[in-house]
Amino acid sequence: MFSVRPARPDDLSALTSVIEDRAAWMRERGLDDWEGWLSSAPMMAARAVRSRSPGWVLEHARGRVVGCTSLSDRPLDEGWSVAEGEEPALYLNTTVTDPAWRRYRPGALLAAWVLERAAATGRTWVRRGCTSEELMRYYRDVQGFGLVRTVRSDQTVTHLLARRVAGTGAAD
């Protein structure tokens, strides 16, 4: 029903719409930073379709783009230890999904795909960070990520989460 593939330049319009729809959903629920998402939607979509480091698109079988994410093999969030940064891991960043497809849990589908990709490429961990308490609970309680630590700076609170890749050792 769904597949994941690298984002392409012809996805730009669909990705912009997904991000704008997410911003509207955030606004309706009184969530912080919806204005930032709305104003940066074209830039976020353009970043996802860069050929040198494309994002990944979750696509419905009928060709509808319902989400996207980006991956890195090094941490983008501050707060990971040097030892954690040296472990083989994929870092899941900037996941955005179309709220109209919530019943299918597209974010969880993308996270599951990343776990499979991590296993196939010899990684031990999938890690992610977020600044929202609500998102942290969702990643922990629904997607199975463990909260590693919460990092506080002058203006930001970042929750760092990790999930061991199945078949790579303890706690599979």
Side-chain angles (χ1 to χ4, degrees), residues 77-81 84 128-133 136 147-161:
D77 297 301
E78 293 185 26
W80 295 104
S81 72
E84 289 163 338
R128 67 185 325 157
C130 66
T131 58
S132 162
E133 184 80 20
M136 182 277 295
L147 178 63
V148 175
R149 73 183 59 82
T150 297
V151 179
R152 290 173 172 75
S153 67
D154 291 339
Q155 299 176 352
T156 309
V157 174
T158 303
H159 307 286
L160 302 176
L161 300 104

Side-chain angles (χ1 to χ4, degrees), residues 2-171:
F2 294 95
S3 60
V4 178
R5 62 168 173 76
R8 305 181 303 243
D10 62 329
D11 293 320
L12 187 60
S13 176
L15 288 171
T16 301
S17 292
V18 166
I19 297 164
E20 290 171 345
D21 290 347
R22 176 56 63 178
W25 181 89
M26 292 168 69
R27 181 188 66 235
E28 290 166 7
R29 283 154 185 77
L31 299 173
D32 291 339
D33 203 28
W34 68 268
E35 291 173 291
W37 281 66
L38 187 60
S39 66
S40 63
M43 179 192 64
M44 290 171 68
R47 215 180 293 146
V49 302
R50 295 184 300 208
S51 60
R52 64 184 164 97
S53 59
W56 296 89
V57 166
L58 179 66
E59 185 176 59
H60 186 266
R62 294 186 181 137
R64 170 81 186 248
V65 172
V66 299
C68 65
T69 195
S70 61
L71 298 176
S72 175
D73 58 0
R74 61 187 187 290
L76 300 182
D77 297 301
E78 293 185 26
W80 295 104
S81 72
V82 172
E84 289 163 338
E86 292 174 354
E87 293 175 325
L90 282 179
Y91 293 84
L92 187 53
N93 305 298
T94 320
T95 300
V96 182
T97 60
D98 186 334
W101 291 75
R102 276 185 81 187
R103 69 183 175 278
Y104 297 104
R105 295 197 170 175
L109 293 173
L110 281 166
W113 175 82
V114 172
L115 285 161
E116 290 175 13
R117 184 171 178 83
T121 58
R123 305 315 203 289
T124 308
W125 295 96
V126 172
R127 296 189 172 121
R128 67 185 325 157
C130 66
T131 58
S132 162
E133 184 80 20
E134 186 176 2
L135 265 181
M136 182 277 295
R137 285 192 302 272
Y138 172 75
Y139 295 149
R140 183 191 63 203
D141 300 343
V142 175
Q143 293 187 3
F145 284 82
L147 178 63
V148 175
R149 73 183 59 82
T150 297
V151 179
R152 290 173 172 75
S153 67
D154 291 339
Q155 299 176 352
T156 309
V157 174
T158 303
H159 307 286
L160 302 176
L161 300 104
R163 184 164 170 188
R164 183 175 284 279
V165 175
T168 60

